[in-house]
């Protein structure tokens, strides 16, 4: 059964920057490349012509999230370097399931260098620029705060990269081990990594960005004082 979510959540979870005016979404602060991406996506979703003068008023309250993500994937462009500034993020150069994370990380003060959503074959990951080894620590702290310790950003000490993972309970670990044993009996079977939870991470980063911005700022100050 298709999962229906509000247009607002769909846009937030994939990193689009907008304001709301009643039922209308305003994209005045979104860059032109992302506006064009959204226009193409809306065309694929059968709502072309709905984005006029940087305004979008959907005819329905909800959208099929799977179809929305597929439209994002189908309209992606080439990978390009872009500055880690929230209004300069080029969404079409990012993987669909991590685009929102990249944008809202930038919004709270953690710009990224490269990213990958894992494509269902591996853990999603972020890489940072040389000299930014403190950023994985900041991301992991934010993940713990947002999830009560369930989400984590796993990294090696003094490394400028890491992977998004979910901490599992003993029961969940046993179930996963059983699943792997069963899959191992199937010829050519491969482990599939869940991606949808990454959209939950992006949404949580967006919804708590004021709090997280303060946390990141304080942690950066603490780190700077320790290195003096």
């Amino acid at each position: 059964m298709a999962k229906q979510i509000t247009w607002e959540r769909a846009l937030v979870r994939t990193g689009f920057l907008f304001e709301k005016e009643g039922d209308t979404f305003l994209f005045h602060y979104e860059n032109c490349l992302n506006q064009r991406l959204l226009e193409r996506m809306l065309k694929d979703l059968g709502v072309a012509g709905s984005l006029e003068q940087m305004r979008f008023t959907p005819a329905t309250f909800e959208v099929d999230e799977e179809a929305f993500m597929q439209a994002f994937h189908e309209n992606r462009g080439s990978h390009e370097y872009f500055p880690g500034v929230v209004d300069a993020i080029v969404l079409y150069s990012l993987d669909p399931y991590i685009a929102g994370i990249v944008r809202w990380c930038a919004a709270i003060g953690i710009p990224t260098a490269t990213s990958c959503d894992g494509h269902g074959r591996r853990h999603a990951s972020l890489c940072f620029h040389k000299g930014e080894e403190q950023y994985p620590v900041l991301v992991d702290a934010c993940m713990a705060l947002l999830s009560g310790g369930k989400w984590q950003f796993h990294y090696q000490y003094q490394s400028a990269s890491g992977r998004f993972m979910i901490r599992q309970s003993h029961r969940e670990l046993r179930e996963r081990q059983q699943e792997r044993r069963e899959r191992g009996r199937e010829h050519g079977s491969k482990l599939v990594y869940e991606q949808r939870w990454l959209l939950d991470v992006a949404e949580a980063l967006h919804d708590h960005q004021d709090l997280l911005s303060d946390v990141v700022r304080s942690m950066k100050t603490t780190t700077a004082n320790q290195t003096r």
Side-chain angles (χ1 to χ4, degrees), residues 16-32:
F16 284 97
L17 187 64
F18 62 87
E19 294 180 331
K20 282 201 73 177
E21 186 179 89
D23 294 330
T24 299
F25 296 92
L26 310 177
F27 295 91
H28 297 101
Y29 297 105
E30 183 58 279
N31 65 63
C32 61

Side-chain angles (χ1 to χ4, degrees), residues 148-164:
K150 183 139 182 98
W151 299 340
Q152 66 172 317
F153 188 69
H154 184 74
Y155 60 92
Q156 299 296 320
Y157 178 60
Q158 292 188 333
S159 170
S161 64
R163 301 174 296 167
F164 287 97

Side-chain angles (χ1 to χ4, degrees), residues 32-109:
C32 61
L33 293 176
N34 292 339
Q35 290 180 31
R36 291 173 191 166
L37 167 63
L38 182 58
E39 286 175 346
R40 294 194 297 269
M41 290 173 61
L42 293 176
K43 182 178 180 180
D44 284 0
L45 291 166
V47 288
S50 299
L51 184 62
E52 298 179 355
Q53 297 182 339
M54 297 177 285
R55 300 167 65 93
F56 170 50
T57 305
T60 59
F61 183 66
E62 295 181 325
V63 62
D64 181 329
E65 185 170 38
E66 184 175 346
F68 189 87
M69 296 304 296
Q70 184 62 29
F72 192 120
H73 177 75
E74 294 296 332
N75 287 283
R76 290 182 62 228
S78 61
H79 289 269
E80 297 178 358
Y81 172 80
F82 52 84
V85 181
V86 65
D87 58 356
I89 299 295
V90 180
L91 295 175
Y92 73 64
S93 68
L94 301 170
D95 291 336
Y97 285 93
I98 206 165
I101 291 177
V102 170
R103 187 148 218 187
W104 307 130
C105 274
I108 64 174

Side-chain angles (χ1 to χ4, degrees), residues 130-144:
K130 183 177 180 180
E132 295 176 342
E133 289 77 12
Q134 79 275 25
Y135 282 4
V137 181
L138 302 182
V139 175
D140 189 43
C142 291
M143 293 300 97

